[in-house]
Amino acid sequence: MEDRVIEINFGPQHPSTHGVLRIKVKLDGEIIVDAQPVIGYLHRNAEKLAEMGSYPKGMIYIDRLDYVAALNMELGYVLAVENLMDVQVPERAQWIRMLMVELNREASHLIWLGTHGLDMGMLTPFFYCFRERERILRIFDEITGSRLLYNYFAIGGVYSDITPKAIEMIKAWTDDFGSKLEEIQSILGKSYIYVSRTKGVGVLTAEDILSYGVTGPMQRASGIKRDVRKNSPYLYYDRINFDVPSRTEGDVYARFLVRIEEMRQSIRIVKQVLDKLPQGDFYNKKYSKPMLVRLKTTGESYVPTESPKGEFGIHLIGDGSSIPYRVRIRSPSFANLSSIPTMLKGYKIADLTAAVSSIDPVFGEVDR
Amino acid sequence: MNLFFFLMSILYGIVKFLHIDFVPFTFHGIPVGLWIAYLIVGVVEVVLVFALSMLAVIIIIYVFRKYMADVQNRIGPNRVGIWGTLQLIADVFKLIQKQDIIPTSADRTAYRVAPYIVFTPVILGFILIPFGNVSILNLMVVNFNYTILFLIAFMTIAPVGEIIGGLASHNKFSLYGALRSAAQDMGFEVPMLISLIGVIILAGSYSANDIVTAQRFIPFIIPEILGFIVFFLAMIGRQSIPPFDLPESGSELVSGFSTEYSGMRYGIFYMGNFGFMALAAFVVAVVYLGGWEGPVFPGTIWLIVKGAVFIFIFLLTWISLGRVRIDQLLQMGWKYLLPLSIINLLISAGLALYLGGVF
């Protein structure tokens, strides 16, 4: 038995490993005997770097964690800092944050959908997804001035107000995107080949989910209906209506359906936020920029948020000086990735790419 | 009249016109002049076929790139030449300039030979396609009684090159690509041949020319619809294009059997694949859609139109479908296509027995 096993390194340079994931796979023919993820190829010391500057300066490192959903990362940091210092945030800023975060969730899920199709051997949905993502990035460009790493959320609000032109763009996008999503979903979900390759593949049971600390869409696809936005609402998620999609199968196809449904719910949230967006300040005038750098505090804070990949939060410890004592990042992809050995054992090589891409790992966040 | 004799008579006319009549020349009773004439005509034929198949490959790759770009909201090649038509030429120049890298642990001879084993049979296959009749001239390079068998034989050689290339590369991904290629060919070859036997029974001949003329009233796609489905799917599978691109499978096995190949060697694999696509389309058109048989227009145009339809179907499957898993593919080959092809064989045997005169 032992000499029949071939060991193959999937990655760190491989077309379908989503960045620099390396999986040591032991194969018996086409069947996976063992799979161990090896991480650390994109380690940039983000936690320690964030502990070297004042509180607002940590933002630029946090931005670069999950670089396809940078605003969700910023939100986690901003909420933690505000919680630590009891900063009051104007209502308009909170609504703008919700809007931006949901838009970024869409952008992140679109990247996932495109690359997932690519891993299943379909090139075409990738381009459709990037076409749609491009519209969201244009909106971000209009509001924040940048397309990928925004540094937009500030302690006490946001850096710039949302312009009327941007609101027009978002409205046009919400009217349009539902049908486009339907189209992209039909390419994958109505394809017999795709469905037969993903059903019953990479199954994680609810016990596995809990023991590995897997969160986000993967958790909800396995029957645990837990969404931080619903269970412990931050921002104003308790003031709007949205559903938390969940499935019980726990396979790749269930994750696909859950993520697609989440994108629909995000459109709903964006529409409601646009209706409820109040007038007013977009930042707390008490906290001007020079003053932010000198903020001093003691204590601990952790605010869980629902990032596109799962529960994201930052554990901040202040020791009374103007720089944080500890910035501990709870990154969802890191925990989700640890389920790879359980998820892959006994399946075929082709299922490896399907299952790994259904985790949707982003390595800036895994390696930090 | 054969193309060979046609070219021969043209050569003879030129020779007579220029007053350098070397054809009757003999040396100790050996007809050396005639042999030289045969050689010249042979070279001309080879050049013609090679140019034709290369032209087909160039057109298919260009159309593929443009069509795929159109489907995917892109522009596609538009810089080199008018509307990017010369992009492939530029690509070939780039590939030729590249350093020739052979892995140190590779089996050098086999590694070098493999691309040509994929590429050459495709060119050879074009020799045997009946391109139509222009009055009495038969546009077929060689015409004998077993052309369809040779055609299938040439198409069978190409995957052997993939297997050799994969094994010679000394790379685990290549090894997997080669093994998959072998499994896939076994899965598709048997149903393909059995479904082809149905056609041979109905036409009563192994000759591609006779198979075409047997379809002058009813193309074989109507009585042999099952066989057509099997043969067509097998043809997609034999080309290793999506959804059956398992030997290459870009996202799983890096690039499968061609992982270690770079430069022009990879380019030859690539062109061989597209040449195989053209060949497969023409073979399906000849065997099931009546080849050059058709009203009003000349036969060659009919064949090209029918072949183009199949090429577009191939491209459309390539663009729109994902990849199947290896076990699903083998299941399809052995569990569905093989029984279907045997049923088709029985049906066509019955047809030949009771309605033999129709075809």
Side-chain angles (χ1 to χ4, degrees):
Chain A
M1 179 64 198
E2 201 54 43
D3 56 336
R4 278 169 58 194
V5 172
I6 295 179
E7 192 177 309
I8 284 190
N9 281 305
F10 267 69
Q13 288 154 334
H14 187 276
S16 69
T17 51
H18 294 255
V20 284
L21 171 62
R22 172 178 162 211
I23 308 175
K24 281 159 83 176
V25 198
K26 288 198 175 112
L27 294 166
D28 176 17
E30 291 260 343
I31 295 164
I32 298 169
V33 181
D34 186 28
Q36 293 295 335
V38 182
I39 59 169
Y41 292 95
L42 199 66
H43 180 60
R44 292 153 308 172
N45 218 348
E47 288 184 358
K48 282 290 165 216
L49 283 171
E51 286 160 18
M52 288 168 78
S54 59
Y55 285 94
K57 282 186 180 169
M59 186 74 85
I60 54 166
Y61 305 112
I62 305 300
D63 234 357
R64 283 152 180 74
L65 290 180
D66 182 354
Y67 38 79
V68 297
L71 286 170
N72 295 66
M73 300 294 111
E74 289 177 16
L75 182 73
Y77 186 71
V78 160
L79 288 182
V81 175
E82 282 164 1
N83 186 31
L84 188 65
M85 301 178 182
D86 289 327
V87 177
Q88 296 305 311
V89 183
E91 204 163 307
R92 184 176 170 84
Q94 296 281 46
W95 285 107
I96 291 176
R97 281 178 182 177
M98 255 171 81
L99 181 75
M100 300 294 277
V101 161
E102 289 306 317
L103 283 175
N104 213 338
R105 188 188 310 280
E106 297 273 10
S108 168
H109 278 355
L110 277 171
I111 286 212
W112 162 78
L113 188 55
T115 49
H116 183 57
L118 213 55
D119 285 346
M120 309 300 289
M122 292 178 178
L123 191 56
T124 309
F126 181 75
F127 289 95
Y128 293 168
C129 290
F130 269 71
R131 179 189 67 194
E132 297 309 315
R133 179 171 176 266
E134 181 62 27
R135 292 183 68 185
I136 301 176
L137 292 193
R138 293 250 164 95
I139 294 168
F140 285 157
D141 194 9
E142 171 67 25
I143 297 171
T144 69
S146 38
R147 288 164 52 87
L148 191 68
L149 302 165
Y150 312 99
N151 200 6
Y152 177 63
F153 294 165
I155 296 163
V158 293
Y159 271 120
S160 60
D161 201 359
I162 187 164
T163 57
K165 190 188 166 197
I167 287 180
E168 284 307 307
M169 286 165 86
I170 296 169
K171 271 188 179 147
W173 175 83
T174 46
D175 293 339
D176 204 32
F177 182 63
S179 60
K180 293 279 169 58
L181 185 61
E182 196 76 39
E183 181 190 328
I184 300 169
Q185 187 192 357
S186 69
I187 299 174
L188 289 155
K190 283 186 183 169
S191 163
Y192 175 77
I193 292 173
Y194 175 80
V195 175
S196 63
R197 267 195 65 180
T198 49
K199 266 194 180 159
V201 167
V203 177
L204 281 178
T205 59
E207 290 87 70
D208 295 334
I209 293 284
L210 290 176
S211 63
Y212 283 115
V214 174
T215 47
M218 285 181 77
Q219 188 184 40
R220 294 192 282 278
S222 292
I224 301 174
K225 199 169 177 176
R226 178 175 171 278
D227 189 322
V228 183
R229 291 176 292 175
K230 271 276 193 241
N231 292 27
S232 54
Y234 51 99
L235 299 180
Y236 294 139
Y237 277 111
D238 46 349
R239 294 199 204 170
I240 50 171
N241 300 319
F242 66 99
D243 301 331
V244 178
S246 81
R247 310 276 301 180
T248 49
E249 294 92 341
D251 55 5
V252 177
Y253 188 63
R255 284 166 211 150
F256 166 77
L257 292 177
V258 164
R259 284 206 174 92
I260 294 275
E261 191 51 38
E262 249 184 57
M263 287 161 84
R264 296 229 168 78
Q265 296 303 325
S266 283
I267 304 175
R268 263 180 80 187
I269 297 174
V270 168
K271 276 182 182 161
Q272 290 177 47
V273 171
L274 279 183
D275 290 341
K276 296 187 176 179
L277 195 65
Q279 293 301 320
D281 285 339
F282 58 89
Y283 70 101
N284 191 340
K285 294 222 166 81
K286 226 175 92 187
Y287 296 93
S288 61
K289 264 190 193 172
M291 196 213 145
L292 280 175
V293 184
R294 291 195 298 273
L295 286 173
K296 290 189 178 68
T297 186
T298 36
E300 295 187 27
S301 92
Y302 175 79
V303 182
T305 59
E306 185 72 26
S307 92
K309 275 88 189 170
E311 183 189 323
F312 172 81
I314 288 174
H315 187 192
L316 271 179
I317 304 178
D319 60 351
S321 67
S322 65
I323 57 172
Y325 173 72
R326 183 78 176 98
V327 181
R328 165 80 176 96
I329 299 161
R330 196 273 175 209
S331 61
S333 292
F334 178 73
N336 293 357
L337 213 61
S338 63
S339 66
I340 279 184
T342 316
M343 206 158 65
L344 291 179
K345 207 164 282 177
Y347 294 101
K348 306 243 173 2
I349 314 175
D351 301 332
L352 184 142
T353 55
V356 169
S357 71
S358 78
I359 299 175
D360 188 17
V362 168
F363 267 74
E365 186 192 29
V366 176
D367 291 341
R368 304 202 278 277
Chain B
M1 190 164 67
N2 210 331
L3 188 65
F4 185 80
F5 295 112
F6 179 68
L7 289 173
M8 200 72 187
S9 53
I10 289 177
L11 178 75
Y12 198 69
I14 293 171
V15 162
K16 280 282 185 200
F17 181 73
L18 297 174
H19 300 289
I20 41 162
D21 192 358
F22 62 83
V23 178
F25 177 74
T26 54
F27 180 73
H28 291 295
I30 303 163
V32 180
L34 198 63
W35 286 3
I36 292 172
Y38 281 168
L39 185 73
I40 292 171
V41 169
V43 166
V44 168
E45 276 189 347
V46 165
V47 169
L48 266 181
V49 169
F50 190 77
L52 181 89
S53 48
M54 279 296 96
L55 191 70
V57 168
I58 289 170
I59 291 172
I60 289 174
I61 292 180
Y62 176 72
V63 169
F64 170 64
R65 285 174 169 177
K66 274 294 192 191
Y67 182 47
M68 194 174 186
D70 199 36
V71 171
Q72 295 170 347
N73 286 299
R74 297 184 285 123
I75 297 169
N78 66 341
R79 295 283 148 173
V80 192
I82 184 162
W83 302 321
T85 38
L86 298 178
Q87 185 63 50
L88 185 73
I89 313 287
D91 286 349
V92 167
F93 270 115
K94 183 200 76 177
L95 288 176
I96 287 172
Q97 285 171 26
K98 282 198 160 191
Q99 189 192 355
D100 180 27
I101 301 169
I102 300 176
T104 42
S105 50
D107 181 342
R108 294 178 73 87
T109 321
Y111 183 86
R112 286 182 180 183
V113 165
Y116 304 107
I117 299 179
V118 174
F119 186 64
T120 323
V122 174
I123 306 294
L124 288 175
F126 273 92
I127 292 174
L128 302 164
I129 303 274
F131 278 99
N133 283 351
V134 180
S135 69
I136 57 157
L137 174 63
N138 183 2
L139 287 179
M140 195 175 182
V141 178
V142 279
N143 190 8
F144 52 98
N145 283 341
Y146 297 99
T147 35
I148 205 79
L149 277 189
F150 271 76
L151 205 50
I152 297 304
F154 286 143
M155 296 175 99
T156 316
I157 292 172
V160 176
E162 294 180 357
I163 297 168
I164 291 175
L167 292 177
S169 299
H170 199 269
N171 177 316
K172 283 170 187 167
F173 291 113
S174 303
L175 175 70
Y176 268 92
L179 293 179
R180 281 183 174 189
S181 186
Q184 183 174 345
D185 290 330
M186 301 256 252
F188 279 125
E189 208 144 296
V190 178
M192 183 181 87
L193 285 173
I194 292 176
S195 63
L196 195 68
I197 291 172
V199 170
I200 292 167
I201 289 175
L202 281 188
S205 167
Y206 286 108
S207 158
N209 225 355
D210 292 350
I211 287 178
V212 171
T213 43
Q215 301 177 63
R216 61 193 175 277
F217 302 124
I218 310 167
F220 282 151
I221 189 173
I222 294 166
E224 297 265 301
I225 182 73
L226 283 179
F228 170 74
I229 292 168
V230 171
F231 194 80
F232 188 69
L233 283 176
M235 273 300 162
I236 297 179
R238 299 299 306 284
Q239 293 170 54
S240 335
I241 60 169
F244 304 124
D245 62 336
L246 287 159
E248 211 164 324
S249 46
S251 59
E252 296 149 27
L253 302 179
V254 189
S255 190
F257 65 90
S258 60
T259 304
E260 293 287 356
Y261 282 89
S262 61
M264 201 51 215
R265 287 183 209 288
Y266 175 73
I268 288 171
F269 268 131
Y270 191 72
M271 293 207 294
N273 273 348
F274 278 96
F276 199 96
M277 184 189 276
L279 186 65
F282 282 132
V283 168
V284 178
V286 162
V287 174
Y288 284 101
L289 233 60
W292 39 263
E293 291 286 358
V296 188
F297 296 111
T300 315
I301 290 180
W302 273 111
L303 182 69
I304 288 171
V305 167
K306 287 167 183 171
V309 168
F310 284 119
I311 287 171
F312 259 97
I313 297 173
F314 290 151
L315 295 183
L316 198 60
T317 52
W318 183 325
I319 292 165
S320 51
L321 291 179
R323 187 181 305 115
V324 300
R325 217 189 303 146
I326 183 79
D327 56 325
Q328 294 168 344
L329 178 114
L330 294 179
Q331 249 178 28
M332 185 185 134
W334 292 109
K335 278 193 187 167
Y336 301 110
L337 294 189
L338 188 62
L340 267 182
S341 62
I342 289 170
I343 292 168
N344 173 67
L345 181 61
L346 294 175
I347 291 173
S348 46
L351 282 176
L353 199 60
Y354 294 106
L355 303 167
V358 178
F359 303 106

